[in-house]
mmCIF file with all atom_site columns, all heavy atoms in Angstrom:
data_model
loop_
_atom_site.group_PDB
_atom_site.id
_atom_site.type_symbol
_atom_site.label_atom_id
_atom_site.label_alt_id
_atom_site.label_comp_id
_atom_site.label_asym_id
_atom_site.label_entity_id
_atom_site.label_seq_id
_atom_site.pdbx_PDB_ins_code
_atom_site.Cartn_x
_atom_site.Cartn_y
_atom_site.Cartn_z
_atom_site.occupancy
_atom_site.B_iso_or_equiv
_atom_site.pdbx_formal_charge
_atom_site.auth_seq_id
_atom_site.auth_comp_id
_atom_site.auth_asym_id
_atom_site.auth_atom_id
_atom_site.pdbx_PDB_model_num
ATOM 1  N N   . LYS A 1 3 ? -0.070 4.290  1.086  1.00 39.00 ? 3 LYS A N   1
ATOM 2  C CA  . LYS A 1 3 ? -0.270 5.048  2.326  1.00 39.00 ? 3 LYS A CA  1
ATOM 3  C C   . LYS A 1 3 ? -0.009 4.137  3.526  1.00 39.00 ? 3 LYS A C   1
ATOM 4  O O   . LYS A 1 3 ? -0.670 3.139  3.718  1.00 39.00 ? 3 LYS A O   1
ATOM 5  C CB  . LYS A 1 3 ? -1.694 5.579  2.354  1.00 39.00 ? 3 LYS A CB  1
ATOM 6  C CG  . LYS A 1 3 ? -1.930 6.571  3.501  1.00 39.00 ? 3 LYS A CG  1
ATOM 7  C CD  . LYS A 1 3 ? -3.301 7.182  3.364  1.00 39.00 ? 3 LYS A CD  1
ATOM 8  C CE  . LYS A 1 3 ? -3.541 8.225  4.433  1.00 39.00 ? 3 LYS A CE  1
ATOM 9  N NZ  . LYS A 1 3 ? -4.880 8.821  4.293  1.00 39.00 ? 3 LYS A NZ  1
ATOM 10 N N   . MET A 1 4 ? 0.974  4.489  4.305  1.00 39.00 ? 4 MET A N   1
ATOM 11 C CA  . MET A 1 4 ? 1.341  3.668  5.458  1.00 39.00 ? 4 MET A CA  1
ATOM 12 C C   . MET A 1 4 ? 0.760  4.277  6.727  1.00 39.00 ? 4 MET A C   1
ATOM 13 O O   . MET A 1 4 ? 0.358  5.430  6.745  1.00 39.00 ? 4 MET A O   1
ATOM 14 C CB  . MET A 1 4 ? 2.868  3.573  5.564  1.00 39.00 ? 4 MET A CB  1
ATOM 15 C CG  . MET A 1 4 ? 3.518  2.954  4.345  1.00 39.00 ? 4 MET A CG  1
ATOM 16 S SD  . MET A 1 4 ? 5.314  2.965  4.461  1.00 39.00 ? 4 MET A SD  1
ATOM 17 C CE  . MET A 1 4 ? 5.558  1.850  5.832  1.00 39.00 ? 4 MET A CE  1
ATOM 18 N N   . ALA A 1 5 ? 0.788  3.507  7.784  1.00 39.00 ? 5 ALA A N   1
ATOM 19 C CA  . ALA A 1 5 ? 0.265  3.981  9.069  1.00 39.00 ? 5 ALA A CA  1
ATOM 20 C C   . ALA A 1 5 ? 1.086  5.162  9.552  1.00 39.00 ? 5 ALA A C   1
ATOM 21 O O   . ALA A 1 5 ? 2.285  5.258  9.312  1.00 39.00 ? 5 ALA A O   1
ATOM 22 C CB  . ALA A 1 5 ? 0.313  2.846  10.096 1.00 39.00 ? 5 ALA A CB  1
ATOM 23 N N   . TRP A 1 6 ? 0.417  6.085  10.254 1.00 40.00 ? 6 TRP A N   1
ATOM 24 C CA  . TRP A 1 6 ? 1.095  7.302  10.730 1.00 40.00 ? 6 TRP A CA  1
ATOM 25 C C   . TRP A 1 6 ? 2.246  6.962  11.666 1.00 40.00 ? 6 TRP A C   1
ATOM 26 O O   . TRP A 1 6 ? 3.262  7.635  11.694 1.00 40.00 ? 6 TRP A O   1
ATOM 27 C CB  . TRP A 1 6 ? 0.094  8.194  11.440 1.00 40.00 ? 6 TRP A CB  1
ATOM 28 C CG  . TRP A 1 6 ? 0.733  9.347  12.171 1.00 40.00 ? 6 TRP A CG  1
ATOM 29 C CD1 . TRP A 1 6 ? 0.611  9.655  13.474 1.00 40.00 ? 6 TRP A CD1 1
ATOM 30 C CD2 . TRP A 1 6 ? 1.586  10.346 11.609 1.00 40.00 ? 6 TRP A CD2 1
ATOM 31 N NE1 . TRP A 1 6 ? 1.333  10.779 13.769 1.00 40.00 ? 6 TRP A NE1 1
ATOM 32 C CE2 . TRP A 1 6 ? 1.952  11.219 12.643 1.00 40.00 ? 6 TRP A CE2 1
ATOM 33 C CE3 . TRP A 1 6 ? 2.098  10.566 10.338 1.00 40.00 ? 6 TRP A CE3 1
ATOM 34 C CZ2 . TRP A 1 6 ? 2.778  12.308 12.450 1.00 40.00 ? 6 TRP A CZ2 1
ATOM 35 C CZ3 . TRP A 1 6 ? 2.930  11.664 10.141 1.00 40.00 ? 6 TRP A CZ3 1
ATOM 36 C CH2 . TRP A 1 6 ? 3.251  12.510 11.195 1.00 40.00 ? 6 TRP A CH2 1
ATOM 37 N N   . CYS A 1 7 ? 2.125  5.889  12.427 1.00 40.00 ? 7 CYS A N   1
ATOM 38 C CA  . CYS A 1 7 ? 3.199  5.533  13.350 1.00 40.00 ? 7 CYS A CA  1
ATOM 39 C C   . CYS A 1 7 ? 4.470  5.205  12.597 1.00 40.00 ? 7 CYS A C   1
ATOM 40 O O   . CYS A 1 7 ? 5.576  5.505  13.061 1.00 40.00 ? 7 CYS A O   1
ATOM 41 C CB  . CYS A 1 7 ? 2.777  4.356  14.244 1.00 40.00 ? 7 CYS A CB  1
ATOM 42 S SG  . CYS A 1 7 ? 2.424  2.833  13.349 1.00 40.00 ? 7 CYS A SG  1
ATOM 43 N N   . GLU A 1 8 ? 4.342  4.609  11.411 1.00 43.00 ? 8 GLU A N   1
ATOM 44 C CA  . GLU A 1 8 ? 5.531  4.328  10.610 1.00 43.00 ? 8 GLU A CA  1
ATOM 45 C C   . GLU A 1 8 ? 6.150  5.622  10.099 1.00 43.00 ? 8 GLU A C   1
ATOM 46 O O   . GLU A 1 8 ? 7.375  5.740  9.992  1.00 43.00 ? 8 GLU A O   1
ATOM 47 C CB  . GLU A 1 8 ? 5.173  3.415  9.435  1.00 43.00 ? 8 GLU A CB  1
ATOM 48 C CG  . GLU A 1 8 ? 4.745  2.021  9.885  1.00 43.00 ? 8 GLU A CG  1
ATOM 49 C CD  . GLU A 1 8 ? 4.448  1.122  8.707  1.00 43.00 ? 8 GLU A CD  1
ATOM 50 O OE1 . GLU A 1 8 ? 4.564  1.583  7.561  1.00 43.00 ? 8 GLU A OE1 1
ATOM 51 O OE2 . GLU A 1 8 ? 4.104  -0.056 8.932  1.00 43.00 ? 8 GLU A OE2 1
ATOM 52 N N   . GLY A 1 9 ? 5.281  6.615  9.775  1.00 43.00 ? 9 GLY A N   1
ATOM 53 C CA  . GLY A 1 9 ? 5.807  7.910  9.346  1.00 43.00 ? 9 GLY A CA  1
ATOM 54 C C   . GLY A 1 9 ? 6.578  8.575  10.464 1.00 43.00 ? 9 GLY A C   1
ATOM 55 O O   . GLY A 1 9 ? 7.652  9.142  10.254 1.00 43.00 ? 9 GLY A O   1
#
Side-chain angles (χ1 to χ4, degrees):
K3 189 173 183 180
M4 300 176 66
W6 170 236
C7 62
E8 294 182 359

